[in-house]
Amino acid sequence: MKVSVIGLGYLGATHSVAMSKLGHRVVGIEQNPAKLAELQKGNAGFFEPGLDQALAEELKSGRLSFQSGHDQTSADADIHFLCVGTPQSQGSLAADTSYLYSAITDLAPVLKPDSVVVGKSTVPVGTAKLLTDKLSELAGFSAQLAWNPEFLREGTALSDSLRPDRIVIGVASDLAEAKLREVYEPMIASGVPIIVTDLPTSELVKSAANAFLATKISFINAMAEIAEVSGADANQLATAIGYDERIGNKFLRNGVGFGGGCLPKDIRALMARAEELGVGQAVAYLKEIDNINLRRRVRVIDLLKKELGELSGKKVLVLGAAFKPDSDDVRDSPALDIALLALEAGANVLVHDPIALAGVNKKHPELATEKDLLTALNNADAIVLATEWKEYRELDPMLIADKVKRKFIIDGRNVLNREIWQAAGFEIVSLGKG
Ligand code: UDX
């Protein structure tokens, strides 16, 4: 089939490669000239294991190409995938859907009546209906619009796109269903379950999935708060409750909490949308999920103060800036927030991360960064492990003991072996442990 992919950020770049890998002819549309130039050279523009290589291969195959706007090639597409961002709005909890409206405004003049427009971005429930009406008005005919949320995780984006746990499609016509079944045929044939539903259900599925994942993490972090004051161990607690199949052991790692470009903004957008619909109470608990999550960051600052007293003049080394390992994404990163809170409290903060420092320097030039780990450790009064990169998990405390000024480490991700660190003379505080 012929497809266009509009907006080539994390979602769109990955989706365009996945579609090309399935054998479709794909034209990706990206308005940002710098980003477009990188994509045309085979660089996705962000760190995602395996993606650049796959991108280069697909470009070479001739099935995939990128351009700045619509033309005859994109107009011929059977399906136009909308993959633009829906970030949190400035000054409110709601999602900003304006990029979707820009995308359909650009698309309308070339849209053909039998082409299907498929939204993949995460949106407030009800958006697809509004977009259908707007697009029909702009195009001058009844536009075919469907919704098909994407559940990919950063770090495993391409394999998540090619082998998802399920495909969800929200459709308002047989034509849209038929075209989506055709485009995903190789995945459906390999056994990926497909759920065909209406537009609002498909939109809400994505918000609900992310809200549930956030709920699991904040639940275990709430238990961690109790464990810390009662002498219990939240890690063992998670293992014990996780054996119950109804609970499951995934997404129950306590620590400094969740971040990234999706979970935080998506739970806030769901709260805002429910409020708009007059059913805010249905998801009022999400406010507490967000609060628990943000409290974990403050907890680290409290622990630093407890150990070091006044933070002013103390060197605090934050290990990690990305919101999770194998990513250079610092959006809403707990690690970065902890660094900023420590800076605000007067500490002399230094941030290390294997790959995400460019993003830190750009977004927060007020934070000092160091790319060499051993140099970063020099004279530290305290270390905070905030992102569980492999090189931190494998750090040998014996080798660094004489570099730091004070042997004190907070394990914000529960990944260090306490006995080994204690044997090297460190005081180690693991979150979630009494
Ligand atoms: C998430 C969803 O998993 C994905 O399905 C959706 O499409 C986009 O949002 P992603 O943002 O890549 O994906 O990150 P994810 O792997 O879900 O982790 C989110 C955050 O939760 C990270 O900061 C991670 O460190 C944290 N986390 C995860 C925990 O604190 N504890 C856990 O047990 C699991």
Side-chain angles (χ1 to χ4, degrees):
M1 291 177 94
K2 292 179 193 152
V3 306
S4 89
V5 177
I6 300 167
L8 299 173
Y10 225 109
L11 170 58
T14 309
H15 190 62
S16 56
V17 173
M19 289 296 98
S20 175
K21 268 180 135 2
L22 290 187
H24 302 304
R25 292 199 74 82
V26 183
V27 52
I29 296 179
E30 174 55 54
Q31 287 182 344
N32 179 324
K35 207 171 190 178
L36 177 65
E38 284 303 308
L39 283 160
Q40 285 167 333
K41 282 190 264 171
N43 301 324
F46 50 87
F47 179 82
E48 175 62 36
L51 186 62
D52 281 354
Q53 196 192 334
L55 179 54
E57 281 165 17
E58 293 314 304
L59 283 171
K60 212 166 151 203
S61 77
R63 286 188 299 271
L64 175 64
S65 64
F66 298 117
Q67 58 192 46
S68 62
H70 290 287
D71 64 359
Q72 197 49 51
T73 315
S74 64
D76 280 344
D78 301 290
I79 298 184
H80 299 281
F81 286 104
L82 302 175
C83 294
V84 295
T86 50
Q88 186 173 340
S89 303
Q90 290 281 341
S92 105
L93 296 182
D96 174 2
T97 56
S98 60
Y99 298 109
L100 284 165
Y101 284 93
S102 304
I104 61 164
T105 305
D106 293 342
L107 175 61
V110 299
L111 183 66
K112 296 185 171 168
D114 59 349
S115 295
V116 180
V117 180
V118 178
K120 288 195 76 66
S121 316
T122 305
V123 289
V125 59
T127 305
K129 171 76 177 74
L130 296 173
L131 287 170
T132 308
D133 294 347
K134 185 71 190 168
L135 186 57
S136 301
E137 180 197 318
L138 291 167
F141 53 80
S142 177
Q144 298 281 337
L145 194 131
W147 218 260
N148 166 222
E150 176 61 57
F151 302 94
L152 64 80
R153 293 160 296 173
E154 297 187 14
T156 50
L158 193 54
S159 55
D160 283 351
S161 291
L162 288 166
R163 287 177 294 281
D165 293 339
R166 74 300 208 187
I167 297 166
V168 176
I169 58 172
V171 291
S173 72
D174 292 343
L175 175 81
E177 178 179 344
K179 289 217 173 178
L180 276 162
R181 282 186 179 277
E182 191 182 341
V183 85
Y184 289 127
E185 202 282 326
M187 279 150 63
I188 298 166
S190 74
V192 176
I194 175 164
I195 292 127
V196 182
T197 182
D198 50 58
L199 292 174
T201 306
S202 65
E203 294 168 301
L204 198 53
V205 165
K206 178 63 194 283
S207 307
N210 276 356
F212 192 73
L213 292 173
T215 301
K216 282 192 93 172
I217 300 169
S218 278
F219 171 80
I220 200 63
N221 278 331
M223 294 303 111
E225 288 185 344
I226 299 172
E228 282 162 9
V229 293
S230 62
D233 182 331
N235 285 325
Q236 290 188 337
L237 176 97
T239 307
I241 63 172
Y243 275 113
D244 184 330
E245 280 181 9
R246 293 167 303 172
I247 296 173
N249 60 9
K250 302 220 172 83
F251 264 65
L252 280 184
R253 281 179 284 115
N254 85 87
V256 293
F258 59 82
C262 294
L263 297 193
K265 77 141 172 100
D266 288 349
I267 59 167
R268 292 172 194 150
L270 181 56
M271 278 186 259
R273 183 60 181 142
E275 199 68 55
E276 261 173 36
L277 292 167
V279 286
Q281 280 183 328
V283 291
Y285 77 95
L286 287 176
K287 182 79 209 131
E288 196 48 34
I289 298 302
D290 202 9
N291 288 341
I292 293 168
N293 194 49
L294 298 176
R295 277 208 299 275
R296 300 309 281 160
R297 305 171 186 189
V298 177
R299 166 84 179 144
V300 172
I301 306 302
D302 291 344
L303 287 167
L304 285 171
K305 286 183 178 161
K306 200 170 157 205
E307 174 68 19
L308 304 178
E310 269 304 307
L311 294 191
S312 83
K314 306 281 167 45
K315 176 174 171 182
V316 173
L317 171 64
V318 179
L319 293 183
F323 82 105
K324 68 174 185 181
D326 295 321
S327 167
D328 63 356
D329 195 342
V330 295
R331 284 176 295 172
D332 215 324
S333 166
L336 205 50
D337 216 11
I338 288 165
L340 289 167
L341 288 170
L343 187 71
E344 211 177 282
N348 172 8
V349 178
L350 187 63
V351 181
H352 177 273
D353 190 284
I355 60 164
L357 292 186
V360 181
N361 295 335
K362 198 166 151 203
K363 265 183 130 168
H364 292 288
E366 70 275 30
L367 281 171
T369 57
E370 169 56 57
K371 55 182 189 307
D372 181 70
L373 181 54
L374 290 180
T375 309
L377 285 156
N378 271 333
N379 283 323
D381 286 288
I383 307 171
V384 177
L385 191 161
T387 312
E388 66 276 35
W389 284 100
K390 188 166 180 269
E391 64 186 282
Y392 306 152
R393 295 198 308 263
E394 293 176 351
L395 204 56
D396 182 347
M398 292 292 187
L399 289 181
I400 64 162
D402 59 352
K403 289 198 154 292
V404 296
K405 190 193 260 176
R406 195 179 185 122
K407 296 194 195 81
F408 177 64
I409 184 161
I410 298 174
D411 181 3
R413 293 291 185 181
N414 279 291
V415 288
L416 300 178
N417 182 315
R418 293 171 59 81
E419 284 73 36
I420 293 178
W421 281 78
Q422 279 161 349
F426 276 83
E427 186 185 338
I428 173 165
V429 178
S430 312
L431 290 194
K433 227 178 160 58

